[in-house]
């Protein structure tokens, strides 16, 4: 399973002293982009080429909170949901005690310049790998 | 229905020129806190008093994107899900054409200083109103 | 003097319970873009047209902190610094007690598609107004 | 000289496709906190103990932009400015070509629970090292 290791940065904490809920979204997005890159799909290059990878649904369960100093890994597993939809099963797991902090499913698609769903051959290849 | 009006700020846009997905989480959180405040529940004061309102699950459907200059409203409706869980039905709606951009359900609970679920009388009153 | 009114959003607070220093940067940028827009200069449209307004220097003095619930105004005054540089004198002032929270000077320029300084007629007009 | 290595995350880019100016502030803050931690000063622990490290002035020169995929290092050097003020000389340097992206001076102080400047023995030790 693909995963990246990250560390909490203090500016990501909110007044409760824990990582703000919205920040997990950033963590998950970053891990997805790294996952895609490791599979030869460059999000920024795609964007410049007029192909927009977009999120259409997210379901996140917040199980436990990250704090200052915590290190964690973000896991990414890809599955095909339909002809034009793909799902990323993602987890944020604290390194220290292997506790799952966030468990999520993020569903996306790709749009061409006319805003129509378009799974390019490069994206298609992700599923046949 | 409770709602607040907001405007896109350019620093919230990503390289696709649209509001980044993670930012909607911020919009929704801000609207929830304003909703609570309008009902006499001050998130910051609660936090200082050791009662933590936390999100335990979020389900968001991204229907349409916001861009530079867009104004939108964020709607909030509260429902009781269980003894200790409450759900916020929330929508982000573009003002210009009344298009729904995000449709979401955010489920939360309240924890006391020992990390145990605790719906204070003040929170309890939200549901009997 | 141009100014906009804004309110603190709780996700902008850090673990000290005050608005994180980096956030003031966002406030100032948003106010500059609104200032430009009110003078007929649309940052997003310029960007799409290949003209990039960029910040080259910022000097900020942090005088006082904003907290949850605070409302404030962000002031913007424009001055010409050189043929290709312009300066924004900006202040963040808490509404409640008129206290200056941040006092700043943000210096910018405009770059064309080749990355060369280029003050378009539209930008030039800002100074002759 | 103390430095940490970081990588651009795509959510940090703005519609110009470059790291938003406000984000550099986050990078610099994170590097300062890591610097302090490596010298035995834990920002989060200090905050909980009622000692607030605060920024009172920042001067940043933006020389060059970071883009998607860029790796960079953030350098930190500490100097004493007065009895109660300390300065962090910081640079953001792109790894690829050793180009300086941001050159900055961030001046801070420490406040005790009454909001009075207070350089604790632990902080004092930073300068005698």
């Amino acid at each position: 399973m693909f995963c990246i290791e990250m560390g909490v940065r203090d500016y990501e904490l909110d007044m409760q002293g824990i990582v703000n809920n919205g920040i997990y979204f950033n963590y998950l997005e970053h891990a997805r982009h790294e996952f895609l890159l490791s599979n030869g799909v460059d999000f920024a290059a795609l964007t410049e080429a007029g192909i927009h990878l977009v999120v259409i649904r997210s379901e996140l369960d917040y199980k436990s909170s990250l704090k200052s100093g915590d290190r964690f890994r973000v896991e990414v597993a890809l599955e095909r949901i339909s002809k034009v939809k793909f799902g990323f099963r993602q987890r944020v797991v604290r390194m220290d005690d292997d506790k799952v902090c966030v468990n999520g499913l993020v569903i996306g698609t790709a749009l061409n310049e006319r805003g129509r769903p378009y799974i390019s051959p490069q994206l298609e290849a992700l599923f046949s790998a």
Side-chain angles (χ1 to χ4, degrees), chain A:
Chain A
M1 155 133 14
F2 180 87
C3 82
I4 60 169
E5 195 184 319
M6 300 173 77
V8 170
R9 299 175 183 173
D10 286 343
Y11 64 81
E12 297 168 334
L13 304 176
D14 63 19
M15 70 174 121
Q16 293 182 336
I18 56 178
V19 169
N20 187 267
N21 288 301
I23 298 289
Y24 291 102
F25 232 94
N26 295 340
Y27 293 163
L28 297 176
E29 181 191 298
H30 179 56
R32 290 195 305 276
H33 288 208
E34 292 290 307
F35 166 82
L36 291 169
L37 201 58
S38 76
N39 283 280
V41 175
D42 182 330
F43 182 90
L46 273 182
T47 300
E48 270 196 53
I51 296 175
H52 292 286
L53 295 181
V54 296
V55 171
I56 53 181
R57 181 175 167 80
S58 67
E59 298 171 21
L60 305 187
D61 288 295
Y62 303 87
K63 303 285 199 181
S64 194
S65 298
L66 290 171
K67 294 198 174 138
S68 181
D70 281 343
R71 290 201 67 75
F72 56 96
R73 63 174 188 272
V74 188
E75 302 171 348
V76 185
L78 181 66
E79 62 188 51
R80 188 111 189 201
I81 288 185
S82 77
K83 201 160 172 305
V84 296
K85 290 184 192 171
F86 36 90
F88 295 92
R89 297 259 168 212
Q90 299 196 257
R91 296 200 313 169
V92 174
V93 183
R94 189 161 48 210
M95 303 299 278
D96 202 31
D97 57 3
D98 240 34
K99 200 156 193 177
V100 176
C101 295
V102 172
N103 204 346
L105 170 63
V106 177
I107 300 174
T109 190
L111 304 174
N112 64 16
E113 283 186 305
R114 271 174 259 133
R116 293 295 172 85
Y118 169 67
I119 308 299
S120 68
Q122 206 182 15
L123 290 169
E124 200 63 56
L126 283 175
F127 298 98
S128 54

